[in-house]
Amino acid sequence: MVRESHGHDQLQSMITRFFHEHRIASLLKSSNIKKETGIPVIHIFRFLFQIVFLGRNVSRLLNDASTDFEKDTVYRFLNSPRHNWRKFLLSLAVAVVQRFSKLTSDDRADVLIVDDSLYDRSLSKKVELLAKVFDHTTHQFVRGFRMLTLGWSDGNSFVPVAFSLLSSENERNRLCGMSESIDKRTTGYKRRRESTMKATDVMFELLSQAQSAGVKAKYLLFDSWFAYPSVILRVITGHAMNVICMLKAMPHVYYEFEGRRVTLNQLYSQVRKRRGRAKILTSVAVIIGKDEKGRPVPAKIVFVRNRHKSRDWLALLSTDTSLPDDEIVRVYGKRWNVETFFKMTKSYLRLAKEFQGRSYDFMVAHTTIVFTRYIMLAVLSREEADPRTLGKLFYDCCDELADIRFIEVLRVLLSLLRQALQEFVDQDPILIDRVVGLFIDRLPAPLKAKLAA
């Protein structure tokens, strides 16, 4: 483990407090992330956890720092298929969500959000289960994975609960296969099998595990990529949750309205719109299907004006028909938290960029560590009522470390100055102290303050 420089090191004390309060060492052990002998895994985990704040890569940090392990130890740790990283992240998320829930009013709607994002490995060729996946931003197929993520939010904070790196259910789209040496009894094998499943099936698996662990929310939010009546019905009947989602006008998806089956476009053309420049154009009650007992399942569809194209419209569906139109729009707005989460992890926390491991276990371990960093920043921002954004908070942590490293170098230079003076002034300690003291007095006030700390 990297030696803690000083007791006043803000980042190190921050990490220490987070690890202690959330029992990271115990969570690692209970998730089978442990070693029988050798370096304790908490030392390796902490080393990897803080790399992004130090602004260095693994090799450089191992060479510069005083550590008790080598690079091979780090890579064996990341490549182990026996480590249950999902259980670790889920256990941590549950503890943080319960903590945040105490800070949240009962009147506020806490939600679960599911969404996917590109896990880019476009420069890779021999990564396990690498596939051609569709990038919704560029509208092209690229090499990588779909990172399906389930998160919790109360509108203020976002906590990643679970994720799955999806390859492709179509074997023709997979560029690399599964490792033949993987033990089928391990967690790593189960995660690999899951990566080739249908995205909606994996979504329900993540949702089931989150609910079983104790993560509770009033609504499940997702965008139009998952908004099919069959999926919505499965959430209601199988998971006892209401859904608020964006709808997409699809020619073969129907809703029952006034006894007739209509598409979304047909429905919009038949309902009466509000006059003027109203943001909410209209709302209508529909039937999306039947439950297990054959009873019709009602829902409300709210049509809102597309602010980017004033003549166009967007549609939101809520299975909680008691919600007012504006409340449906407001609650769905919390889904934006997952988008800022993706931006934060990729742009600041170096998701998919920090390491270039080839095994599937390696990528799962790396992603979990990145998500854990995000959780720490979210906890700091929430508990201290910090007005800084998570990006600003991240940079302030990095600046603090850079400042600490500069002070360490200055201390080394003062030590060398003292040694040089001892050789040329007859080893008179009083005179040496006076010269060093005069040098320090002429330093800027901020540096003197930090040297005195």
Side-chain angles (χ1 to χ4, degrees):
M1 183 178 66
V2 179
R3 290 182 300 181
E4 296 184 3
S5 302
H6 304 285
H8 69 282
D9 186 330
Q10 180 181 348
L11 177 66
Q12 295 296 343
S13 62
M14 187 189 306
I15 294 175
T16 298
R17 181 166 64 89
F18 175 76
F19 276 39
H20 175 73
E21 291 180 353
H22 295 88
R23 303 185 304 111
I24 299 299
S26 298
L27 294 182
L28 289 170
K29 184 177 180 180
S30 64
S31 304
N32 200 40
I33 306 173
K34 55 187 178 180
K35 294 182 66 176
E36 298 296 333
T37 58
I39 306 299
V41 293
I42 187 62
H43 291 186
I44 305 173
F45 183 84
R46 178 163 178 161
F47 171 82
L48 294 169
F49 181 88
Q50 64 185 7
I51 283 177
V52 71
F53 300 104
L54 298 171
R56 304 180 186 180
N57 58 35
V58 174
S59 300
R60 182 179 174 189
L61 195 58
L62 284 171
N63 292 333
D64 294 349
S66 175
T67 56
D68 299 327
F69 47 85
E70 301 295 334
K71 186 176 181 179
D72 289 347
T73 304
V74 173
Y75 279 81
R76 282 196 301 269
F77 173 78
L78 293 171
N79 281 313
S80 175
R82 302 185 182 279
H83 294 169
N84 194 342
W85 289 107
R86 175 168 297 170
K87 182 178 179 181
F88 168 79
L89 180 62
L90 187 56
S91 301
L92 176 61
V94 168
V96 173
V97 167
Q98 291 175 348
R99 198 167 186 174
F100 284 173
S101 297
K102 296 177 182 178
L103 306 174
T104 305
S105 169
D106 293 335
D107 297 331
R108 297 190 66 174
D110 49 356
V111 298
L112 284 174
I113 308 168
V114 63
D115 200 3
D116 64 343
S117 182
L118 174 65
Y119 189 97
D120 188 8
R121 293 299 297 265
S122 55
L123 300 179
S124 302
K125 294 182 179 180
K126 296 183 179 180
V127 174
E128 189 176 5
L129 291 173
L130 184 69
K132 292 187 293 184
V133 295
F134 187 73
D135 184 0
H136 299 302
T137 303
T138 62
H139 300 286
Q140 295 178 341
F141 280 92
V142 297
R143 296 169 182 259
F145 301 84
R146 290 175 62 192
M147 186 176 68
L148 184 66
T149 304
L150 177 70
W152 175 94
S153 177
D154 60 355
N156 189 358
S157 302
F158 179 84
V159 179
V161 174
F163 71 91
S164 182
L165 296 179
L166 301 181
S167 177
S168 176
E169 59 178 316
N170 188 345
E171 190 172 353
R172 290 179 299 179
N173 288 335
R174 292 181 220 149
L175 303 174
C176 299
M178 185 189 306
S179 172
E180 297 180 356
S181 61
I182 185 71
D183 189 338
K184 295 184 178 181
R185 298 170 297 179
T186 60
T187 303
Y189 177 77
K190 296 176 183 177
R191 294 292 293 265
R192 287 167 169 82
R193 296 295 301 170
E194 180 184 84
S195 73
T196 60
M197 292 169 54
K198 195 175 179 179
T200 51
D201 292 336
V202 178
M203 180 188 80
F204 285 113
E205 180 65 24
L206 298 181
L207 184 58
S208 296
Q209 293 180 14
Q211 289 182 319
S212 298
V215 178
K216 298 179 181 179
K218 295 180 181 178
Y219 302 100
L220 177 65
L221 311 183
F222 47 78
D223 65 9
S224 58
W225 300 107
F226 301 95
Y228 293 90
S230 58
V231 174
I232 298 170
L233 287 170
R234 189 172 171 184
V235 175
I236 299 171
T237 58
H239 298 274
M241 290 187 70
N242 279 306
V243 171
I244 298 179
C245 62
M246 180 76 73
L247 296 179
K248 182 168 61 173
M250 293 178 280
H252 302 295
V253 175
Y254 297 92
Y255 307 90
E256 186 176 333
F257 174 66
E258 296 181 347
R260 294 181 294 110
R261 295 174 72 242
V262 295
T263 64
L264 192 63
N265 282 329
Q266 292 171 343
L267 179 64
Y268 179 75
S269 65
Q270 294 179 25
V271 296
R272 185 176 181 181
K273 273 73 74 175
R274 296 187 178 99
R275 300 177 63 182
R277 302 289 296 175
K279 294 181 179 179
I280 298 179
L281 299 172
T282 186
S283 64
V284 60
V286 298
I287 302 297
I288 59 173
K290 296 182 179 180
D291 62 15
E292 296 174 342
K293 296 182 180 180
R295 296 172 298 191
V297 177
K300 178 190 282 190
I301 297 179
V302 179
F303 293 95
V304 298
R305 192 180 303 277
N306 188 342
R307 63 180 182 179
H308 301 295
K309 297 180 181 179
S310 58
R311 295 183 180 181
D312 201 357
W313 49 268
L314 302 172
L316 300 177
L317 180 144
S318 171
T319 57
D320 185 354
T321 57
S322 65
L323 283 180
D325 296 352
D326 56 348
E327 183 67 6
I328 292 174
V329 176
R330 188 189 69 81
V331 173
Y332 184 77
K334 297 181 181 183
R335 201 197 70 83
W336 184 249
N337 287 336
V338 74
E339 301 292 349
T340 58
F341 164 75
F342 289 144
K343 175 67 175 178
M344 178 71 189
T345 53
K346 293 180 181 180
S347 299
Y348 295 92
L349 302 181
R350 297 189 60 76
L351 178 68
K353 300 175 183 176
E354 192 170 44
F355 303 108
Q356 293 298 318
R358 295 181 177 180
S359 79
Y360 190 81
D361 300 302
F362 194 107
M363 293 181 291
V364 169
H366 159 65
T367 305
T368 305
I369 293 171
V370 170
F371 283 17
T372 307
R373 293 169 182 161
Y374 182 92
I375 290 175
M376 185 189 77
L377 292 175
V379 168
L380 291 172
S381 178
R382 183 63 176 268
E383 291 185 345
E384 299 175 7
D386 203 318
R388 293 172 291 182
T389 63
L390 291 189
K392 183 65 166 62
L393 186 60
F394 167 79
Y395 277 128
D396 286 349
C397 291
C398 295
D399 290 343
E400 173 70 16
L401 265 189
D403 191 49
I404 291 297
R405 288 199 294 268
F406 179 76
I407 296 300
E408 288 177 348
V409 171
L410 190 56
R411 283 197 172 97
V412 172
L413 291 176
L414 288 175
S415 176
L416 294 175
L417 174 62
R418 188 181 293 275
Q419 294 175 13
L421 289 173
Q422 287 177 349
E423 297 179 6
F424 294 101
V425 294
D426 299 327
Q427 298 185 354
D428 185 348
I430 297 177
L431 182 58
I432 291 173
D433 289 340
R434 286 184 62 188
V435 173
V436 174
L438 289 171
F439 175 77
I440 294 176
D441 286 340
R442 285 166 172 76
L443 291 174
L447 292 181
K448 286 196 293 185
K450 290 184 176 297
L451 282 172

